Amino acid sequence: MLESGLIPLIFLVAVAIVVLSIFFSFVPVMLWISALASGVRIGIITLVAMRLRRVIPSRIVNPLIKARKAGLELDTNQLESHYLAGGNVDRVVDALVAAQRADIPLGFERAAAIDLAGRDVLEAVQMSVNPKVIETPIVAAMAKDGIELRTKAKVTVRANIDRLVGGAGEETIIARVGEGIVSTIGSSDSHKDVLENPDLISKTVLNKGLDAGTAFEILSIDIADVDVGKNIGAQLQTDQAEADKRIAQAKAEERRAMAVAQEQEMKARVQEMKAKVVEAEAQVPLALAEALNNGKLGVMDYYNMQNIAADTQMRQSFGTGGDKPKNTPPDGQE
C-alpha cells in the first residue's frame, strides 16, 4: 500500500520539475533578477516577448545594464531593433561608453549606423583618442636626373567619426600618399634635393588634402627611410642606344643583301653577254666558209688573214710574258 501511494507523488514531482525547467528555460528569471538588482527596470513579460521575437534576452539586457551604469539613457527598443538588424549591440554600447568618457559627441543612432556599415565603431572611438600610425610600403620614384629613390613613409591618422559611413579606408590613404610621394620626387630636379630635405615630401603631400572623402584625418606624414636605387635614366639611355644599334645593323644588313643581290644580277648579265659574244664568234667561221664558197673571199686572202692573226697572237704572247692569250685559234689553223 505504501509503494502504491508513492508512485503518484513521484510522478507529480517529476512533472513539476519538467514544468519548472521549461519555465525557467523560456522565462529568464535570473536575468530579470540581475536587471532589477542593477537598477534596470524591465518586465518579465518583455523578456518573454524577446524570446518570441527570436531575440536572446542576455544580448539586450547585459548591454543595457552596462549603459545604465555608465549613465547612458538607452531603452530596450533601440537595442533590440539594432540586434534584429544584424548589429553588434555589445560593441555599440562599449563604443558609446568610451565616447562618453573621452567627451566625444556620439549618439546611439550614429554608432548603430557605423556598426551596420561594417566598421568597428569601438575601434574608431579608440582611434579618435589614440591616433593610429599607418606605414606605407616602399614607394619607388625617379627624379628628373634619372636616379631612382625608394621611400617609406609613416602616416599618423585619427578616425573621423562623422565620415566613417561612406568614407574610404586605409588603402585609399596609402594609395594617395604613395601617389603624392611619386609626384613630389618626380618634380624634383635632382635626387640630391630630396635627400637633403626629405621633409619636402611630407610637406608637399600633406598640403594636398589627401584625407578628403576618407574616414580618417591625417595628422602628419613622416618620411621613415629614403634609399637611392638604380640609375634608371642611364639604363633607359643604354637601352635606347642598344635599340638604335640593332636598327642600324638591320638597315646595314638590308643594304648588304641588296648589294649582294645586285652583284649577282650583274654577274648573271655578264654571263649572258659572254654567251652572246660566243654565239657571235661562232658565226664567224660560218661566214668565212660562205664567203669562200661564193667566191667573195679568196684562198690567199684567207691565209693572209690567218698570218695577221698569228702575228697578233705572237705579239700578245710577248707582251704577257709568254702566256698563251685567250681566243687563240686551234693549232693547224695559223
Side-chain angles (χ1 to χ4, degrees):
M1 295 294 293
L2 182 61
E3 293 181 357
S4 61
L6 288 176
I7 293 175
L9 181 60
I10 295 174
F11 177 75
L12 292 176
V13 171
V15 171
I17 293 174
V18 173
V19 171
L20 289 176
S21 299
I22 295 174
F23 177 79
F24 283 111
S25 63
F26 192 77
V27 179
V29 177
M30 299 304 297
L31 187 63
W32 175 68
I33 295 173
S34 298
L36 290 179
S38 301
V40 177
R41 295 187 176 276
I42 184 169
I44 192 70
I45 298 177
T46 304
L47 297 178
V48 174
M50 290 183 186
R51 291 284 193 187
L52 297 176
R53 288 191 293 268
R54 297 180 181 275
V55 176
I56 302 176
S58 60
R59 299 288 182 87
I60 304 299
V61 175
N62 291 332
L64 185 60
I65 293 173
K66 188 189 305 183
R68 292 290 175 84
K69 289 296 183 181
L72 297 176
E73 294 296 330
L74 300 177
D75 56 32
T76 57
N77 291 329
Q78 290 177 311
L79 301 182
E80 193 173 349
S81 63
H82 184 63
Y83 177 84
L84 292 173
N88 191 324
V89 177
D90 193 61
R91 184 167 55 192
V92 170
V93 172
D94 289 341
L96 292 174
V97 173
Q100 184 190 39
R101 295 291 186 268
D103 197 18
I104 297 175
L106 179 63
F108 176 80
E109 297 298 332
R110 188 66 178 175
I114 295 172
D115 184 63
L116 292 177
R119 296 186 181 274
D120 192 337
V121 61
L122 178 60
E123 182 182 359
V125 173
Q126 293 173 348
M127 195 183 299
S128 298
V129 178
N130 186 19
K132 181 180 179 181
V133 177
I134 302 175
E135 185 172 343
T136 64
I138 296 177
V139 180
M142 184 179 67
K144 290 183 179 180
D145 58 357
I147 304 299
E148 178 190 36
L149 293 179
R150 302 172 64 85
T151 308
K152 181 186 294 185
K154 291 185 177 181
V155 185
T156 304
V157 297
R158 180 171 57 196
N160 191 333
I161 296 179
D162 294 334
R163 293 198 302 233
L164 279 177
V165 178
E170 295 183 9
E171 293 80 5
T172 303
I173 294 292
I174 294 175
R176 290 181 179 180
V177 170
E179 180 184 359
I181 292 175
V182 172
S183 176
T184 304
I185 295 178
S187 61
S188 301
D189 294 330
S190 174
H191 71 285
K192 296 180 180 179
D193 298 337
V194 180
L195 293 176
E196 291 175 356
N197 299 304
D199 58 336
L200 177 65
I201 300 177
S202 58
K203 291 180 180 179
T204 305
V205 175
L206 193 60
N207 292 332
K208 290 185 176 182
L210 303 180
D211 54 0
T214 65
F216 303 98
E217 178 185 356
I218 297 179
L219 300 179
S220 66
I221 299 176
D222 303 310
I223 304 302
D225 189 18
V226 179
D227 295 328
V228 179
K230 300 178 182 178
N231 191 339
I232 298 180
Q235 184 176 355
L236 292 176
Q237 292 178 358
T238 303
D239 295 341
Q240 184 63 42
E242 184 68 21
D244 294 341
K245 174 185 174 183
R246 293 179 180 177
I247 293 174
Q249 288 177 345
K251 291 182 178 179
E253 184 65 22
E254 181 182 0
R255 291 194 297 269
R256 188 190 71 81
M258 293 179 62
V260 170
Q262 187 175 8
E263 180 184 2
Q264 295 298 325
E265 183 180 356
M266 296 305 296
K267 287 182 179 180
R269 293 183 63 185
V270 169
Q271 294 298 326
E272 182 181 358
M273 294 297 104
K274 287 183 178 181
K276 291 181 179 180
V277 171
V278 171
E279 182 181 1
E281 289 179 348
Q283 298 295 327
V284 174
L286 297 176
L288 290 176
E290 184 180 359
L292 287 172
N293 292 330
N294 294 333
K296 295 181 180 180
L297 181 65
V299 176
M300 295 304 297
D301 294 332
Y302 177 74
Y303 277 109
N304 288 333
M305 185 181 63
Q306 292 292 330
N307 289 332
I308 293 173
D311 184 63
T312 301
Q313 179 182 356
M314 181 182 64
R315 293 177 184 276
Q316 290 177 351
S317 177
F318 289 156
T320 58
D323 295 336
K324 188 175 182 179
K326 296 180 180 180
N327 301 328
T328 302
D331 296 339
Q333 296 183 4
E334 296 181 0

